[in-house]
Amino acid sequence: MVSSIKIETPLDEETISKLKIGNKVLLNGIVYTARDQAHKRLVDELEKAGKENRQPNLPFPLEGQVIYYVGPAPSRPGMVIGPAGPTTSGRMDTYTPILLEKGLKGTIGKGRRGKDTIEAMKKYKAVYFVAVGGAAVLISKRIKRIGTVAYEDLGPEAIYRLEVEDFPLIVANDVYGNDLFDEGMKKYRKVT
Amino acid sequence: MREITSEEVTQAVENLCISSNCTLNEDVWKALREKLKNEESLVGKEVLEEILENDRMAEEEKLPLCQDTGFTTIFVEMGQEIKVTGGDFYQAINKGVGNGYRKGYLRKSVVKDPLRRKNTGDNTPAWVHIDIVPGNKLKISVMPKGAGSENMSTVKMLSPTEGVQGVKKFVLDWVKERGANACPPLVVGVGIGGTFEGVAKLAKKALLRPIGSKNPEPFYAEMEEELLKGINNLGLGPQGLGGSSTALAVHIKTYPCHIASLPLAINLQCHAVRHATIIL
Ligand code: SF4
């Protein structure tokens, strides 16, 4: 068993500076859901606000927050949320650096991150957590409350606010530029 | 001629959509447990434990194993002495898919148009492959396929002289580059031969074979073993976070091909290996 570190959102620099790749984390507090379309809208607004020289009108403040890439299955009556495992993070790579620049501190998904995103995490001090892809039922039990935040027209792709308890994660990219995907492969690779 | 009503087909497909999404076949359970026993990485072990615990919870509560309940691929083997009565066969199948995804609280993940992307609302249409076979039985296999692993699949037209080595190299390189995003431990479906469109189908159909079963042709059985070993030596591990459990199996399916071509397809299957079959 890997021992786990409990942390709470919003995340500050001190907390995440302690996280290293391979750490198991139990996250508590609020995470916001967003997938492809929601990311596009967030970034469009940031760019527009930048051009018009005004404060962006975002559905939630990015500072210290964590985004979870997820599109849950429908919930059965009596359940908080349906099965809700992570989706592939790489699809969000075009949008992530600008969100990190604006204060986002963590992202949760599955699979590798692109080079630009990893660099941006180092530069703006943010981490990428992997939730186990396909562990959708187990993960959904750690979500205690759900509320809609914005873009309801997107259905399962809308932005939801999730209250999570001991949400099980693994640090895959830390603020020091390390990448567990690379390091893990190097460590366990056998040359034949 | 043996008659089967379209309602029977609809009902069968409805049941298969739900059971395939909410249960794992015994071969998959066995393979995953085996991996947990032998995994070298602590993080890898942790991931495998979480997967097994998830799958146990899903079966117990009759919930889908994964939220991505996929695009529904359906393989039909229709005995040539079968007559389907009472309506259009494809409609009967799609009705079953719609019912299953609604009643099973499965995610509707299909858009009507690839570029204009409006959700069809009931996960239809399915992609249906029909083979006509001798006899009077109707065999239906439902395979919901998530996008995570489907997106990490490919077709490559090799040149014939690249041969066995070329195939092996391409498969190993591909899994190394793309495997992490497809939720390993994987089942790697490999199609070799046939035509451009046919080879992809071979790779997908190869995924239906039970894990642990041997390829009937010794030449390919050996190649599967070598590839499996090679893939597990890559070090990707569960979820790509490092370890020795990258793949549960490699399944190869082949077909004769043109003298001037060597089609190759790789269809990656995530650890949520979901398919269910009924014979009517
Ligand atoms: S690749 Fe498979 S296990 Fe992973 S999220 Fe997609 S359907 Fe689920």
Side-chain angles (χ1 to χ4, degrees):
Chain A
M1 246 316 246
V2 189
S3 65
S4 39
I5 306 165
K6 269 196 196 227
I7 58 171
E8 233 170 90
T9 63
L11 302 177
D12 55 39
E13 226 171 284
E14 200 196 324
T15 310
I16 60 168
S17 296
K18 287 188 190 136
L19 301 176
K20 306 269 162 59
I21 55 166
N23 284 163
K24 185 183 169 190
V25 166
L26 296 173
L27 186 73
N28 289 274
I30 303 299
V31 300
Y32 293 93
T33 73
R35 299 171 52 107
D36 315 46
Q37 297 301 328
H39 271 80
K40 191 168 182 313
R41 289 193 194 177
L42 289 174
V43 169
D44 280 352
E45 170 58 18
L46 282 171
E47 280 171 356
K48 211 165 147 221
K51 261 187 224 143
E52 292 166 6
N53 229 337
R54 59 168 171 83
Q55 282 300 312
N57 181 17
L58 295 177
F60 66 96
L62 292 169
E63 196 57 47
Q65 300 303 329
V66 176
I67 288 181
Y68 180 26
Y69 309 138
V70 62
S75 66
R76 267 200 323 230
M79 284 171 52
V80 177
I81 191 169
T87 192
T88 308
S89 308
R91 296 199 315 271
M92 268 48 86
D93 276 338
T94 358
Y95 305 111
T96 308
I98 177 164
L99 299 179
L100 297 176
E101 187 190 333
K102 302 289 176 201
L104 185 73
K105 283 289 166 216
T107 53
I108 306 172
K110 71 171 180 90
R112 288 175 160 274
R113 300 314 305 250
K115 242 180 73 226
D116 293 350
T117 305
I118 295 174
E119 257 162 45
M121 281 191 268
K122 195 172 165 191
K123 183 164 174 200
Y124 303 115
K125 300 259 179 291
V127 280
Y128 168 53
F129 302 101
V130 159
V132 174
V137 176
L138 184 141
I139 289 170
S140 70
K141 304 285 179 197
R142 310 290 174 91
I143 299 169
K144 300 300 169 185
R145 243 186 284 270
I146 177 169
T148 314
V149 174
Y151 313 151
E152 246 173 300
D153 59 302
L154 295 178
E157 296 211 34
I159 294 184
Y160 297 99
R161 182 177 185 273
L162 308 180
E163 215 177 295
V164 300
E165 233 175 72
D166 287 347
F167 205 66
L169 304 170
I170 293 160
V171 180
N173 292 102
D174 56 28
V175 299
Y176 306 101
N178 298 313
D179 182 4
L180 183 58
F181 291 93
D182 282 346
E183 296 307 317
M185 185 148 76
K186 259 190 239 155
K187 191 164 166 195
Y188 292 98
R189 173 154 209 188
K190 296 188 189 89
V191 192
T192 40
Chain B
M1 275 305 200
R2 180 175 160 232
E3 292 194 0
I4 291 184
T5 65
S6 60
E7 282 95 63
E8 279 176 83
V9 172
T10 299
Q11 189 60 52
V13 171
E14 176 187 320
N15 296 347
L16 291 172
C17 285
I18 296 174
S19 66
S20 62
N21 270 298
C22 304
T23 46
L24 278 183
N25 294 334
E26 201 41 52
D27 58 323
V28 189
W29 276 111
K30 209 176 135 214
L32 286 171
R33 287 196 194 106
E34 193 75 16
K35 286 291 178 207
L36 175 61
K37 235 191 282 161
N38 300 322
E39 176 54 54
E40 293 167 26
S41 138
L42 281 181
V43 172
K45 265 193 186 302
E46 181 79 27
V47 169
L48 288 167
E49 271 166 14
E50 225 179 277
I51 289 171
L52 283 159
E53 176 64 6
N54 174 76
D55 297 351
R56 196 191 54 74
M57 287 167 112
E59 284 199 354
E60 195 177 287
E61 299 186 40
K62 300 197 170 59
L63 288 167
L65 300 149
C66 184
Q67 78 289 338
D68 188 350
T69 49
F71 193 104
T72 320
T73 305
I74 302 189
F75 290 100
V76 176
E77 282 178 23
M78 181 157 338
Q80 62 191 24
E81 290 154 41
I82 293 259
K83 186 175 170 197
V84 178
T85 60
D88 179 291
F89 184 66
Y90 287 97
Q91 262 174 26
I93 284 192
N94 281 320
K95 198 170 160 200
V97 171
N99 290 350
Y101 274 69
R102 184 166 37 81
K103 293 185 195 169
Y105 291 91
L106 308 176
R107 199 179 76 183
K108 288 75 179 173
S109 316
V110 176
V111 292
K112 190 169 183 334
D113 181 282
L115 295 178
R116 288 167 290 180
R117 307 200 75 84
K118 197 172 161 355
N119 200 300
T120 61
D122 61 359
N123 221 56
T124 66
W127 191 274
V128 188
H129 301 278
I130 301 185
D131 287 325
I132 306 290
V133 297
N136 66 355
K137 298 268 189 278
L138 180 64
K139 183 173 169 187
I140 306 174
S141 299
V142 169
M143 182 198 267
K145 192 76 169 54
S149 55
E150 196 74 351
N151 286 347
M152 299 297 128
S153 301
T154 193
V155 170
K156 171 84 182 165
M157 304 304 277
L158 293 174
S159 101
T161 51
E162 291 179 79
V164 176
Q165 287 319 316
V167 169
K168 279 194 191 160
K169 184 172 183 321
F170 190 86
V171 173
L172 285 174
D173 289 349
W174 185 265
V175 175
K176 186 175 167 215
E177 286 307 313
R178 313 290 176 114
N181 285 2
C183 285
L186 311 165
V187 178
V188 181
V190 181
I192 311 173
T195 52
F196 173 73
E197 88 285 9
V199 74
K201 185 173 162 185
L202 289 175
K204 176 148 287 178
K205 227 178 164 181
L207 297 174
L208 286 174
R209 221 179 88 201
I211 297 168
S213 65
K214 249 192 160 41
N215 193 306
E217 276 193 69
F219 175 80
Y220 286 109
E222 194 180 313
M223 196 166 154
E224 286 177 356
E225 260 172 50
E226 283 167 10
L227 273 172
L228 181 61
K229 193 158 171 239
I231 288 170
N232 283 324
N233 281 345
L234 290 173
L236 262 73
Q239 293 293 309
L241 302 177
S244 48
S245 315
T246 306
L248 305 172
V250 176
H251 290 167
I252 299 176
K253 210 168 164 55
T254 63
Y255 200 79
C257 69
H258 191 280
I259 47 168
S261 58
L262 175 52
L264 171 66
I266 303 170
N267 196 196
L268 293 187
Q269 166 67 61
C270 55
H271 65 80
V273 185
R274 292 160 292 179
H275 51 83
T277 298
I278 193 173
I279 298 174
L280 294 175

